[in-house]
Amino acid sequence: MFKDIFELIKSFKKIVLARHVGVDPDAMASTMALKDSIKLTFPEKEVYAVGSGSMRFNYFGKLDRLEDMKNSLLIVLDTPDIRRIDGVNLSDFLKIVKIDHHPFVEKFGDIEYIDDTASSASELVLELINETDLLMDKNIASKIYLGIVSDTNRFMFNNSTGKTFRLVAKMLDEYEIEIDKLYEPLYLRPLNEVRLEGYIGLNLKLTPNGVIYIKLTKEILDEYEVDAASPGNMINNFNYINEAIVWVFFTEDEKNNNIRVSARSRGPIINTTLSKYNGGGHKYASGARITDMSESDAIIKDLDDLCKEYKELESDTFAN
Ligand code: AMP
């Protein structure tokens, strides 16, 4: 299938790359790495990466503004469903390729490369480059490395497989990436966010069966002078809390007039629960958008029930 994707890339003069709304480091890294690789391999092609950006990820490179996308190839990365693709209209394109590591939601591409056992979309771009005549350099390798590091939380999640390590090890051997320098833009953050993290730690609530949660209103975000994307950036820092196996943040997003839900789990599979609330994602890292904070209690209740079931099953397993 990688060869088919490569042949399509080869056959188009104009190529547009898109990824999911609410851009994160893996979405950005996979897109910009593939853009750079196509440009390096085929300098004469027009290659654009579109969608709304975030100042925070400027170090990955600049996004493009493009009025006319007609007659081109679209490659959608890191996105399983049409409603979450950022900044393109699918009917504009002659051909569409999907490259994704989320569980399958719906088909929209002529070619779909989906591997939900891959750590990240960046890992899939690395495989695509390795398996075809697409070229790589140190800059591209650095972006791919950051995408993988980010989606695996520095190789801590169990989406880091033997294959992930082998691919990364080979890439590190071939390109002399200075990993310590790369971490800085990824992890550097303003003091205000650290203070907000302190607030979250102090105000987390715990349900009877092991869900911790916090509801962050616009007033709280304003007090700490952070935006609605900030809490989601720190959710992985609440991984190892004895009392909790699921943790979820609800953040008022004034600009988009909705509530961002970010959830993580150390056991129960949560994406099915979140998909009931206009959301989805991975088994243990999911999100959703709800219209009103009052809906959050239903999600908390569902997640708490899920934790109860999970704990009962676990105790049965250990008893047998
Ligand atoms: P986040 O908590 O925003 O980092 O998202 C965790 C995972 O859930 C990512 O794989 C996202 O793509 C996915 N996700 C976040 N929000 C939504 C949503 N509204 N619908 C479907 N998937 C989502």
Side-chain angles (χ1 to χ4, degrees):
M1 191 170 290
F2 287 131
K3 298 268 184 281
D4 298 334
I5 296 175
F6 180 74
E7 287 308 318
L8 262 188
I9 290 172
K10 217 163 112 183
S11 68
F12 273 85
K13 186 173 180 317
K14 187 167 162 186
I15 299 167
V16 178
L17 306 182
R19 35 73 197 166
H20 62 75
V21 291
V23 64
D24 59 25
D26 180 42
M28 195 69 188
S30 55
T31 307
M32 299 315 272
L34 184 55
K35 176 184 167 177
D36 293 350
S37 173
I38 298 173
K39 278 302 278 180
L40 186 65
T41 317
F42 303 106
E44 71 288 356
K45 288 192 193 295
E46 294 174 47
V47 191
Y48 303 97
V50 299
S52 29
S54 159
M55 295 266 282
R56 185 185 281 270
F57 304 134
N58 278 354
Y59 58 93
F60 283 115
K62 282 193 104 182
L63 290 161
D64 302 295
R65 293 212 176 284
L66 185 65
E67 295 302 321
D68 181 15
M69 303 192 192
K70 297 228 160 58
N71 298 322
S72 54
L73 167 69
L74 173 67
I75 305 179
V76 179
L77 294 124
D78 201 27
T79 316
D81 48 355
I82 297 171
R83 74 187 169 103
R84 299 200 77 233
I85 306 174
D86 194 3
V88 294
N89 188 351
L90 296 192
S91 59
D92 281 347
F93 298 91
L94 290 180
K95 289 276 181 202
I96 299 173
V97 173
K98 181 206 272 183
I99 299 174
D100 190 27
H101 74 125
H102 288 87
F104 177 80
V105 176
E106 65 181 330
K107 181 166 165 38
F108 58 80
D110 299 285
I111 300 181
E112 301 211 328
Y113 187 80
I114 301 165
D115 178 0
D116 65 6
T117 68
S119 67
S120 52
S122 299
E123 180 179 320
L124 297 178
V125 169
L126 175 56
E127 270 195 282
L128 172 67
I129 294 173
N130 284 350
E131 298 296 322
T132 64
D133 290 336
L134 281 171
L135 298 175
M136 168 96 104
D137 62 13
K138 184 174 167 179
N139 157 57
I140 296 165
S142 302
K143 287 177 187 175
I144 287 173
Y145 183 81
L146 277 187
I148 296 174
V149 157
S150 171
D151 253 30
T152 58
N153 203 19
R154 277 169 273 174
F155 305 100
M156 205 158 70
F157 296 154
N158 70 355
N159 60 358
S160 317
T161 61
K163 185 175 176 183
T164 313
F165 282 104
R166 280 190 294 277
L167 284 165
V168 170
K170 182 171 171 285
M171 187 173 73
L172 286 176
D173 280 345
E174 282 173 29
Y175 302 91
E176 284 162 13
I177 309 173
E178 291 139 286
I179 56 175
D180 54 337
K181 296 220 175 68
L182 287 183
Y183 285 119
E184 204 168 289
L186 187 62
Y187 292 113
L188 210 60
R189 58 192 179 141
L191 184 58
N192 285 356
E193 279 197 3
V194 181
R195 295 198 203 285
L196 177 73
E197 195 170 315
Y199 172 90
I200 293 174
L202 285 171
N203 291 281
L204 282 169
K205 301 249 182 338
L206 175 66
T207 68
N209 295 296
V211 179
I212 51 173
Y213 65 90
I214 189 145
K215 301 179 186 181
L216 296 160
T217 58
K218 177 190 170 317
E219 287 69 33
I220 297 167
L221 301 183
D222 287 349
E223 191 185 325
Y224 285 89
E225 296 175 16
V226 295
D227 64 31
S230 297
N233 296 330
M234 56 187 74
I235 190 154
N236 290 334
N237 299 346
F238 291 81
N239 260 355
Y240 295 110
I241 298 178
N242 264 336
E243 291 81 353
I245 49 173
V246 167
W247 57 110
V248 53
F249 293 177
F250 300 92
T251 308
E252 193 175 342
D253 183 348
E254 194 192 22
K255 210 165 87 193
N256 293 303
N257 197 24
N258 60 25
I259 310 290
R260 292 180 184 218
V261 186
S262 258
R264 300 290 184 269
S265 167
R266 281 195 291 118
I269 292 171
I270 52 174
N271 57 353
T272 37
T273 302
L274 273 294
S275 63
K276 279 171 49 189
Y277 298 93
N278 192 29
H282 303 285
K283 282 184 195 166
Y284 306 111
S286 312
R289 297 287 179 271
I290 52 178
T291 47
D292 196 274
M293 199 58 103
S294 60
E295 287 175 66
S296 59
D297 289 335
I299 299 182
I300 295 164
K301 167 85 175 59
D302 276 1
L303 291 174
D304 188 60
D305 289 346
L306 198 69
C307 288
K308 185 163 187 267
E309 254 172 57
Y310 177 82
K311 284 180 169 173
E312 283 166 1
L313 264 174
E314 284 277 282
S315 59
D316 286 352
T317 311
F318 285 118
N320 290 327

